[in-house]
Structure formats: structure tokens, C-alpha cells
Amino acid sequence: MKEIYNQILKLTNEELDAMDMSAFKINDNVPVQWFYGLSGREHYRLLAHISSMFEYETLCDVGTYQGSSAVALGASSYNRVKSFDLLAQPEIEYIKKDNIEFILDDVRHHNDVLKASPIIMFDVDHDGTFEDLFYKHLLDIKYKGIMIVDDINLNAAMWRFWASIKQTKTEITRIGHWSGTGIVLFD
Ligand SMILES: C[S@@+](CC[C@H](N)C(=O)[O-])C[C@H]1O[C@@H](n2cnc3c(N)ncnc32)[C@H](O)[C@@H]1O
């Protein structure tokens, strides 16, 4: 996974911004309009590119909301995406992609999915509570892979959470989300 981690660090805005995101359009509202934003402003191009770096893997999305991160992670139909949320979201009704599964449950009940996933996209409530619990859970199950964390610069709770991570990590906001994108290598 270190090789993939290093490849992600080398991605440029130019290559991400050259991606044609129109192929993802489902209707005028799905994915939400910010899905199409340029890299460094929005992170969906980054996620779609990361999807293309894998084949025949199941990628994990924690925090579904309106399904945009799941759609981006599912860009390569060679991969499956399992997207977890605790609350039902009406927008995901429109997302009928064979390779994306939405699951209403605590992801910590799905250790088989977590342990098999080379990429975990993590984007929940940003108050630091579940962030701490989930990080501890990944350590407890000895997760090996890459976690992408959204919104690491959003607020003090997220700064503290990001600072608490002991593994190899890099801030990649320049190619991710304006509110802060981090990448963590669990090896
Ligand atoms: C910022 S939104 C996610 C946005 C989504 N990743 C995207 O890019 O479109 C946060 C979501 O996390 C969900 N959430 C909060 N706590 C959670 C938890 N413990 N497990 C899974 N989802 C959670 C919320 O219900 C909300 O839908």
C-alpha cells in the first residue's frame, strides 16, 4: 500500500482537473453540484482517480450523506463500494449503480469489510467523537491500508483529531477538499 500512498502524493491538479466528470451525472441534483468542482476545491476528482488505481477491490466509504463520495469511489466499475451511514438519505434513492451498496449501520459492525478495504474514505460529523472511536477501532482490528480523512482543517476538533494520528500521514488539501484532506497509511 505504500506504493499507492506515494502515487497519490504525486497526483497533480492538472491531471485531476482534466478528468471528465460529466459521466457521473444522474440527474440535475445528483450528484450535488459541488461534485464537479476542481481539485483543491473539492475532492471528488481525487476519489474518482483513486478508484481507478484499484481493480476487483471493495472500497469503504464512511459517511454517505448524499452519496457523492460513494459515486466518486465507484468510478471504476471494476471495484465495489460499500458506503455506511447512520441516517437514511433520500438522494441516494437515485443512485442505482451496480457496484455501490449503501448500508445503514455502524461500520464497526463490519470488520470484514474494513479489513479487506485498501481505501477507507472517512467523513462523518467532524466533532471529533466518532473520529476518535473509529481511529481506535482501526488500530484494534489492526487495519492495513489507506484512510482518506475529509475536513481536517474544518475546526479545532478536526485539527486535534488529525494531530492525534500516529501513522504515516500527509495533508493533501492541494489536490483534495478546501476544508482539508488528509491521507493516512496504516502499514
Ligand atoms: C459530511 S457528510 C458525508 C459526505 C459524503 N462523504 C460526501 O462526500 O458526499 C457526513 C455524514 O456522516 C454521517 N455520519 C455521522 N456519524 C456517522 C457514523 N458514526 N457512521 C457513519 N456515518 C456517520 C452523517 O449522517 C452524514 O450523512
Side-chain angles (χ1 to χ4, degrees):
M1 290 305 291
K2 180 125 201 200
E3 202 176 308
I4 298 272
Y5 178 89
N6 287 330
Q7 283 174 20
I8 293 172
L9 296 189
K10 287 189 193 134
L11 290 172
T12 65
N13 296 103
E14 288 69 26
E15 62 192 304
L16 294 179
D17 294 345
M19 293 168 70
D20 178 8
M21 301 293 276
S22 64
F24 298 102
K25 191 170 166 107
I26 294 166
N27 62 37
D28 283 346
N29 301 314
V30 179
V32 280
Q33 128 281 332
W34 56 77
F35 182 89
Y36 305 97
L38 295 179
S39 60
R41 179 84 202 150
E42 299 294 343
H43 53 307
Y44 301 105
R45 290 170 187 273
L46 172 66
L47 298 181
H49 183 93
I50 288 173
S51 176
S52 73
M53 298 170 91
F54 294 93
E55 273 187 1
Y56 309 115
E57 299 281 4
T58 297
L59 311 181
C60 187
D61 178 50
V62 185
T64 304
Y65 190 44
Q66 295 168 323
S68 297
S69 49
V71 168
L73 278 180
S76 167
S77 55
Y78 289 112
N79 300 311
R80 297 189 59 75
V81 176
K82 291 193 187 242
S83 180
F84 293 85
D85 207 302
L86 300 178
L87 299 176
Q89 302 289 343
E91 285 80 2
I92 62 171
E93 294 296 316
Y94 297 102
I95 303 171
K96 309 264 185 244
K97 301 262 185 192
D98 290 345
N99 67 329
I100 302 178
E101 182 183 355
F102 294 108
I103 300 166
L104 266 186
D105 197 8
D106 186 332
V107 67
R108 292 173 298 171
H109 299 156
H110 300 261
N111 288 337
D112 50 340
V113 175
L114 286 172
K115 288 179 96 158
S117 177
I119 291 283
I120 298 172
M121 172 63 203
F122 186 55
D123 180 18
V124 292
D125 280 347
H126 316 118
D127 65 7
T129 309
F130 190 70
E131 282 82 3
D132 286 346
L133 291 171
F134 185 65
Y135 175 49
K136 180 175 182 308
H137 186 76
L138 292 183
L139 297 179
D140 287 347
I141 65 169
K142 300 186 172 30
Y143 173 68
K144 304 283 179 224
I146 290 171
M147 176 169 69
I148 311 279
V149 189
D150 191 21
D151 294 324
I152 61 170
N153 294 328
L154 189 67
N155 56 34
M158 290 303 292
W159 289 329
R160 190 203 46 73
F161 169 62
W162 180 246
S164 76
I165 294 175
K166 303 280 188 297
Q167 282 64 27
T168 300
K169 63 184 176 183
T170 308
E171 178 172 347
I172 53 169
T173 305
R174 73 173 175 84
I175 50 168
H177 195 187
W178 63 268
S179 51
T181 302
I183 181 171
V184 183
L185 177 66
F186 293 80
D187 59 0

